[in-house]
Amino acid sequence: MFLACRSHPWLRRVLLGPRPDSIPALIAKACAFIGLLDVLAGVFARFRHSRMHTLAEVLPGALGPFAAALSLSTGLLLLLLAHGLRRRKRRAWRAAVVLLPAGAVAQFAYRHSAIGMLISLAMLTLLIHHRGEFAALPDPRSRWRALSNFLLWGAAPILIGLVIVNVHGRWMIGDPSLADRITHVLYGLFGFEGPVDYQGDTSWTVGASLGALGLLTAITTIYLAFRPEHPAAQLTEDDEARLRALLEKHGGRDSLGHFALRRDKAVVFSLSGKAAVTYRVVHGVMLASGDPIGDVEAWPGAIERFMDEAKAHSWTPAVMGCSETGGEVWTRETGLNALELGDEAVVDVAAFSLAGRAMRNVRQMVKRIERAGYETRVRRVRDLGETELERIRQAAEDWRGTDTERGFSMALGRIGDLADGDCLIATAHKADDQPGPYGDLKAILHFVPWGTDGASLDLMRRDRSADPGMNELLIVAALQAAPKFGITRVSLNFAMFRSALARGEKIGAGPVLRAWRGLLVFLSRWFQIESLYKFNAKFQPRWEPRFVVYRASADLPRIGFAAMQAEGFVNLALPLPRSLRRRSAPVGTCAHSVGEQDISAA
């Protein structure tokens, strides 16, 4: 029997019942299904007279027979609770435990349905019996960010209200204009009678539905505004000091190590304190980046703490951009899977030269720019004065190619901090007859330390009026100046799907690989996948593979979307005006992947 269960998972489910970890998912699906039926019953009049609605009437929470308004509001609440139940959230469980008895009372009191009441109580019993499965802690959140997200999606009640008004068109008196219908929706959301009239009791039904929708919106807003905050964790001064101590001893192992010092990340340390994992939570995905910090022998302890934290909050664990060694440790210690994400370009300083046919294009571009009157300077941050540092910070902010800051896994998020004195800044200068607001400054490259003998590219910015080729000029200048700083290796940009692009253009590539490369080239119009790879390849680097670590293939779309949000490619919150953000947010933030104007101009 045991062998049969192993060979046939469906037989295992029949004989042994569902696995414990699938119970929250089943409850969540049932909750979402019931909520959808309730919304349909509240919005569409025809649905309330269909055979499907006959089934919906005996399901828990289905209050359509009592009032379309209650059906609509209950359905929306159940749909919202389904997501929390699937993620095992304790607060969602508490809300469901309150809502189901209310549904049972409504079934018995208003419809006299013993079956509906028993189903509600059965689901309530199931929730109480498995209450231990719903123990996940709240996600980090900001009250104002929650409200901004709510305002962004605030059009939903208006759209649903328009559907409610229009689906009852057969009972509508006259032919009111779209403006009148929108006005009716807006009035109805606040509980007032609008300009649209209906025959019979339909006017009351529509008005009650709109009023319930407005009331639900108001309650949700009040809840978001006054619920206890769980701010996104940030590095404390003590955390940063401990991470810097680990990097001082083991920072040469991973070129992304210094990026763990971003102050908008949280950190978990191993019990011994000899290793740590930094992360950020984005919509339920716990994103770590790079390899763990510290002694490799202590990595398993830090990874265990990371996974415990993910389990406590029911977060989806993921690691972006870890090395091959890091991927092996992650998969061995956690049972997670690893997938090659791309390659990091690393240049060996001793082997770098502008001579040779392979470097002809770079050599010619650099000489042309130098003849145009540009000069370069490469210095440690600690060697710059505060006045010049401030000018560089402001220039980097103004020259950013997007309104939102980009960067998470391969960006430090600041320039010129006193604690980052070992960082390198390469700048390009040209004297003009009419100097701009930043004098002769034309382009900036910022590198963070990679141990004691390496540097990792963090930021690339240039004045849009400068000649093309600023990035090539400064990279060459940094590589040529590296020996005097004791730097033997320099990490450039990370090229996603580099191997697929390289193999797909070679002779003999199969149709699948060519199609995959074609898709990547198409996506490069927005994400610079191909252009970044070709830019890095100019400097004849060695390619170091980087991996994404994930739990299940079904999680990959969600992880990818969360990573795009973390990196700044997708922004679902309402951003502050740039003039205000410049004064309130740290300046100089950038992604390891460059801004829109940088590579295209190069």
Side-chain angles (χ1 to χ4, degrees), residues 315-547:
W315 292 331
T316 300
V319 184
M320 301 298 297
C322 66
S323 68
E324 189 169 2
T325 300
E328 290 175 353
V329 176
W330 274 100
T331 54
R332 184 184 69 236
E333 296 296 326
T334 63
L336 300 178
N337 302 302
L339 180 68
E340 185 173 340
L341 186 61
D343 295 273
E344 176 187 12
V346 179
V347 178
D348 294 316
V349 173
F352 177 77
S353 173
L354 287 176
R357 184 176 181 84
M359 298 298 296
R360 179 182 177 183
N361 290 337
V362 176
R363 181 173 63 250
Q364 290 178 342
M365 179 171 287
V366 170
K367 289 183 177 179
R368 177 179 58 80
I369 296 173
E370 289 176 340
R371 286 195 300 268
Y374 288 89
E375 65 175 28
T376 59
R377 302 168 194 168
V378 182
R379 293 160 290 175
R380 296 278 189 189
V381 166
R382 60 171 172 263
D383 297 329
L384 276 72
E386 181 57 35
T387 301
E388 186 174 6
L389 269 177
E390 182 60 27
R391 184 167 67 249
I392 290 174
R393 291 190 192 106
Q394 291 298 328
E397 169 72 7
D398 283 347
W399 295 344
R400 190 177 66 226
T402 58
D403 288 335
T404 57
E405 298 284 6
R406 289 187 176 179
F408 162 67
S409 58
M410 301 178 186
L412 183 60
R414 59 185 181 269
I415 293 180
D417 193 287
L418 294 177
D420 300 319
D422 287 338
C423 292
L424 281 179
I425 290 184
T427 53
H429 304 263
K430 182 183 180 183
D432 293 329
D433 295 335
Q434 296 181 346
Y438 307 110
D440 63 352
L441 183 63
K442 298 300 179 183
I444 304 165
L445 260 63
H446 186 252
F447 297 84
V448 300
W450 175 9
T452 58
D453 63 345
S456 185
L457 180 60
D458 167 40
L459 173 149
M460 303 170 72
R461 298 284 168 80
R462 71 174 188 88
D463 188 343
R464 291 174 183 249
S465 64
D467 294 336
M470 291 292 102
N471 293 325
E472 287 91 336
L473 174 68
L474 288 181
I475 288 177
V476 170
L479 290 171
Q480 291 176 339
K484 73 176 183 180
F485 297 105
I487 294 174
T488 62
R489 52 187 179 166
V490 175
S491 169
L492 300 180
N493 295 295
F494 173 75
M496 291 185 62
F497 310 115
R498 196 274 316 175
S499 59
L501 290 169
R503 292 197 304 267
E505 63 183 355
K506 290 183 178 180
I507 187 172
V512 176
L513 188 56
R514 287 187 179 276
W516 174 226
R517 181 183 180 278
L519 177 61
L520 293 176
V521 172
F522 174 75
L523 294 176
S524 295
R525 299 179 182 180
W526 297 277
F527 299 107
Q528 296 190 358
I529 299 173
E530 184 186 31
S531 58
L532 196 57
Y533 154 58
K534 290 186 174 180
F535 176 81
N536 291 332
K538 292 180 181 181
F539 303 95
Q540 303 299 305
R542 71 173 190 267
W543 298 101
E544 299 288 344
R546 291 280 173 173
F547 299 83

Side-chain angles (χ1 to χ4, degrees), residues 157-174:
I158 298 177
L159 294 177
I160 296 176
L162 280 174
V163 173
I164 294 174
V165 169
N166 290 324
V167 297
H168 293 82
R170 62 162 62 180
W171 297 280
M172 194 178 294
I173 299 176

Side-chain angles (χ1 to χ4, degrees), residues 59-132:
L59 292 176
L63 303 178
F66 170 56
L70 290 177
S71 180
L72 176 63
S73 57
T74 303
L76 289 174
L77 286 174
L78 287 172
L79 286 173
L80 292 174
L81 287 178
H83 178 68
L85 291 173
R86 184 180 62 83
R87 295 186 57 207
R88 305 167 183 268
K89 292 298 182 180
R90 190 68 176 178
R91 289 188 175 182
W93 178 86
R94 291 171 180 168
V97 167
V98 172
L99 186 61
L100 285 173
V105 171
Q107 288 286 346
F108 185 76
Y110 295 102
R111 191 173 179 273
H112 308 293
S113 172
I115 297 177
M117 182 187 68
L118 291 176
I119 294 177
S120 295
L121 295 178
M123 284 196 68
L124 177 63
T125 303
L126 188 65
L127 277 174
I128 295 176
H129 178 71
H130 294 285
R131 59 187 178 275

Side-chain angles (χ1 to χ4, degrees), residues 583-598:
R583 291 192 289 268
S584 60
V587 297
T589 307
C590 179
H592 194 81
S593 56
V594 296
E596 279 78 356
Q597 78 277 16
D598 295 315

Side-chain angles (χ1 to χ4, degrees), residues 213-237:
L213 193 59
L215 181 62
L216 184 62
T217 303
I219 292 174
T220 306
T221 303
I222 294 171
Y223 171 73
L224 290 174
F226 292 101
R227 67 178 177 175
E229 276 192 284
H230 294 270
Q234 295 184 341
L235 288 184
T236 65
E237 292 184 2

